[in-house]
Amino acid sequence: MRLLDQLDLPADLRRLDPVELRQLAVEIREEIISTVSQVGGHLGPSLGVVELSIALHAELHSPEDHIVWDVGHQSYAHKLLTGRLGVFSTIRRKGGLSGFPKRSESDHDAFGTGHSSTSVSVGVGLAEAARLSDARRPGRVVSVIGDGALTGGMAYEGLNQAGHLHTPLVVVLNDNEMSIKKNVGAMSSYLSRLRTEPHLYRLRRDLERRVQHLPGIGERVFAVGEQVKDGVKGALVPGMLFEELGFTYIGVVDGHDIGSLRAHLRRALAVRGPVLLHIKTVKGKGYAPAEIAPERFHGTSPFSVETGLVAKSLGRPMSYTEAFGRALVALAREDRRIVGITAAMAAGTGLDHLEREFPERFFDVGIAEGHAVGFAAGLAAAGMHPVVAVYSTFLQRAYDQVIHDVCLQKLPVVFAIDRAGLVGEDGPTHHGSFDLSFLRVVPNLTIFVPKDEAELQTLLATALTMRGPVAIRYPRGEGLGVPLPDPLLPLPATGPWTEVLSEGTDVLLLATGTGVELARRAALLLRDHGVEATVVNVRRVSPPDRGALSALLEAHPAVVTVEENTIVGGFGSSVLELLQEQRLRRPAAVIGLPAAFVAHGDLAGLHREIGFTSEVVADRALGLVRAE
Ligand SMILES: Cc1ncc(C[n+]2csc(CCOP(=O)(O)OP(=O)(O)O)c2C)c(N)n1
């Protein structure tokens, strides 16, 4: 029988010998590989921290002590070590374990994560709360952050405060040189220098020891004050940057050596102040295909363990992401002012197409959405035409930059917002549920929502002819398989911004984005009930196409709106506002995502569960018509 099945974890970890701990690491890896091969998920990140997870749980007493996993996509081993082996196969499935740490799932999940670079701030909060508590033995706090997540500004805000407060917090920097792809930035180069000069660390400790032992001098050197010590440090201290911020820097430690990790963690936990423990790991460790192709295995769909290959879905429609990436390259060929910006999501957003063809006009700024938008604003102010390609959920990070740096100044930045709507297995941290609501209130911002991948290309071309800021939001996954525009031409400056797809006199279905297909199918269902619906594709949500929409509203006795965004404050709300503005009394139903965080699970299942289906659209329309 496996150790994994016999142990009472995490408590039993403390009584295992080094050989058994290594055996446990092997078993955890096998469990993760086998499960992710069936359900998909973040494989490489979790395989890289198996030894770290074991060492942390062996040295800490969770849940009294807290481990904060940055992003949390690497927490699978932690889940297996904290009583979730029996349900591990349900991970990312509807009703099953979350793919990220989640406080409601386990006491051992000290903090819920999913978005990057939060772990230091949260760690400082937990550690300061422990200092303020009357507990006899306040909980210790370890934040685990990747080198990719360390490109995010929030991490530095946390380090800044921890250094200032001298917070007793251990930050484990899990350095595998990778974000989703190869990490970028000056900090990454700095870490890489630290990694390649590990002898410096030993040298420093030797030197400190030797100076301290010089009879009569050593103690004085360290007592004389910081000046001399700083001189010694300046010459030799690796991690100087962190030391200057008030952290004790320990590193670089082999992140796959449990014994060494434990020893260094003990040392770090004994320091009364902030510590940065820099460890070096291999992403995908222990599974050859993932070690060779870490980007491919960062997050994967189900695959064959033997070959590492994912079953190809042949003959499927092109994804929205791909349609965007291709169109952008075509447009960039014609206009040298077009540049593309991503916050560490080149492949995810399709911006890798631009990277390949125009590398000098492609910018990966790291996991720094706020900076990405500020940077775009600067480029636009200087006459460039930047396109920020970003997931809806991560654009939340850059809201102030959208308002203050871009829209207030009417700068021509295009926001290409991917994964707008539900995303499925990644769940509530990643659903793009809110962008229509939070963007619709921003003056000067045009919001386009295409009904299919062809319209996405046309609207992108249109956005790039406009003088002000434009957001285009589109969903995750495949398009509808419609023919793509060739040649790719913009719409005229006057639109049309609404498109009547079919006409009927009984009810008006105003739909946007993925809602259009639902409305179209609902109209067919309604016909079976003798109800004739007008179906309208609203491709510009903001500013509302007042003239066209008012005329349509006036001509129909009832209206149903359909959007894949929260029903609070989104497209439907804009239609209700218009009804009121025009003093029109019409029974109305707003269909969209519920006013709640939607759980994780397969997309079709989630859509059914929340009632985002053509049947529900038809039902609600029937209800309104019959109540007439
Ligand atoms: C705010 C935000 N932007 C983008 C992402 C998408 N994302 C998830 S993991 C990741 C890379 C993280 O790299 P690192 O911290 O080094 O961890 P590793 O995967 O290498 O273990 C990115 C960009 C995110 N989770 N949050």
Side-chain angles (χ1 to χ4, degrees), residues 174-186:
N174 171 36
D175 185 359
N176 54 23
E177 300 177 62
M178 297 290 295
S179 192
I180 288 180
K181 61 187 238 184
K182 190 92 184 127
N183 200 10
V184 296

Side-chain angles (χ1 to χ4, degrees), residues 319-362:
S319 68
Y320 282 88
T321 303
E322 175 95 13
F324 159 76
R326 289 191 190 194
L328 184 65
V329 169
L331 295 161
R333 281 189 200 121
E334 306 298 318
D335 183 351
R336 293 185 47 223
R337 294 172 311 157
I338 295 176
V339 296
I341 301 166
T342 175
M345 304 295 290
T349 58
L351 214 63
D352 52 345
H353 290 270
L354 187 76
E355 179 181 18
R356 279 192 291 275
E357 185 148 340
F358 296 111
E360 70 291 352
R361 286 154 65 187
F362 162 88

